[in-house]
């Protein structure tokens, strides 16, 4: 089994969620790349990961990484586990994501530019038109302090949607979900 983990904004590929995936899926080949800021470079990284898989991978994404998992689920018709995904990053990053930042885990500096928002908006439109909702599994914190997910159940009526109290935006119940999902994947 191949799993591609896509981290969120200000994060890195080798954070605790990648470690948890390896722990709960010890026989899987877990790809957890550090995603660059530029969405076109992100596309190159993810396409390379998919090409290096022996079988169609399971996508796992959190926050902005959830958006990328959503996008690649649509493009390649892959199953995706989406944890508090940012499905409108061109909007949510407009007010708080422009500038120079450092990632939490590795302290890797990067510059997220306003120009990237247009690319993300185009990617969203493309994914929306090709999406197979049955391939999407949403895991949402009802206390996400960063993103509002209230409309996801009505927008994704054919997807699996599950709410978790007390998980916050970082989704502290990630391992709990992995334990539940092991039997299904």
């Amino acid at each position: 089994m191949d799993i591609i983990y896509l981290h969120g904004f200000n994060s890195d590929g080798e954070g605790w969620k990648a470690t948890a995936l390896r722990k709960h899926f010890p026989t899987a080949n877990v790809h957890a790349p550090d995603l660059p800021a530029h969405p076109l470079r992100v596309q190159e990284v993810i396409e390379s990961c998919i090409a290096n898989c022996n079988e169609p991978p399971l996508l796992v994404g959190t926050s902005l990484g959830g958006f990328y998992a959503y996008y690649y689920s649509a493009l390649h018709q892959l199953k995706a586990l989406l944890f508090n995904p940012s499905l409108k990053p061109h909007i949510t990053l407009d007010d708080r994501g422009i500038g120079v930042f450092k990632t939490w885990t590795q302290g890797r500096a990067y510059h997220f530019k306003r120009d990237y928002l247009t690319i993300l908006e185009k990617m969203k439109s493309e994914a929306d038109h090709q999406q197979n909702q049955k391939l999407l599994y949403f895991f949402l914190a009802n206390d996400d302090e960063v993103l509002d997910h209230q409309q996801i159940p009505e927008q994704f009526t054919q997807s699996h949607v599950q709410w978790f109290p007390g998980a916050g935006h970082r989704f502290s119940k990630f391992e709990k979900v992995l334990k539940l999902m092991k039997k299904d994947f």
Side-chain angles (χ1 to χ4, degrees):
M1 171 182 215
D2 283 288
I3 298 173
I4 298 176
Y5 171 65
L6 304 171
H7 65 77
F9 193 78
N10 273 351
S11 195
D12 297 295
E14 290 304 318
W16 70 272
K17 290 178 180 137
T19 301
L21 280 163
R22 289 184 178 103
K23 173 184 164 188
H24 291 283
F25 295 92
T27 61
N29 185 16
V30 177
H31 308 261
D34 288 335
L35 300 177
H38 197 300
L40 296 179
R41 302 297 84 76
V42 171
Q43 290 177 357
E44 292 170 4
V45 169
I46 297 172
E47 285 292 348
S48 176
C49 284
I50 291 172
N52 287 320
C53 290
N54 295 321
E55 58 188 296
L58 172 65
L59 303 173
V60 178
T62 56
S63 194
L64 181 57
F67 168 75
Y68 289 124
Y70 173 80
Y71 178 76
Y72 278 94
S73 172
L75 259 56
H76 294 284
Q77 297 301 295
L78 300 170
K79 285 185 181 177
L81 308 183
L82 309 174
F83 293 84
N84 287 339
S86 175
L87 295 183
K88 297 179 183 177
H90 60 286
I91 295 171
T92 57
L93 290 174
D94 186 29
D95 62 344
R96 64 176 163 255
I98 308 303
V100 177
F101 302 93
K102 285 190 177 186
T103 61
W104 293 315
T105 308
Q106 298 174 9
R108 177 175 45 93
Y110 68 96
H111 185 187
F112 194 90
K113 300 178 181 178
R114 183 165 300 283
D115 299 356
Y116 302 166
L117 300 176
T118 304
I119 299 167
L120 292 170
E121 184 175 19
K122 182 179 176 191
M123 290 172 68
K124 176 173 175 31
S125 177
E126 186 178 354
D128 288 347
H129 288 92
Q130 298 180 50
Q131 193 54 256
N132 178 349
Q133 289 190 13
K134 294 177 182 176
L135 297 173
L136 303 176
Y137 296 77
F138 289 93
F139 303 98
L140 309 171
N142 62 6
D143 62 338
D144 187 331
E145 67 279 9
V146 177
L147 300 171
D148 180 5
H149 304 294
Q150 294 303 313
Q151 300 200 357
I152 285 179
E154 63 192 49
Q155 291 173 334
F156 295 92
T157 57
Q158 296 178 27
S159 300
H160 169 90
V161 178
Q162 190 169 354
W163 291 94
F164 289 82
H169 183 68
R170 289 185 144 183
F171 208 88
S172 62
K173 298 186 179 180
F174 187 75
E175 286 197 75
K176 178 180 180 177
V177 171
L178 296 183
K179 288 176 188 174
L180 297 171
M181 298 306 292
K182 280 199 310 194
K183 64 182 182 299
D184 296 328
F185 293 97

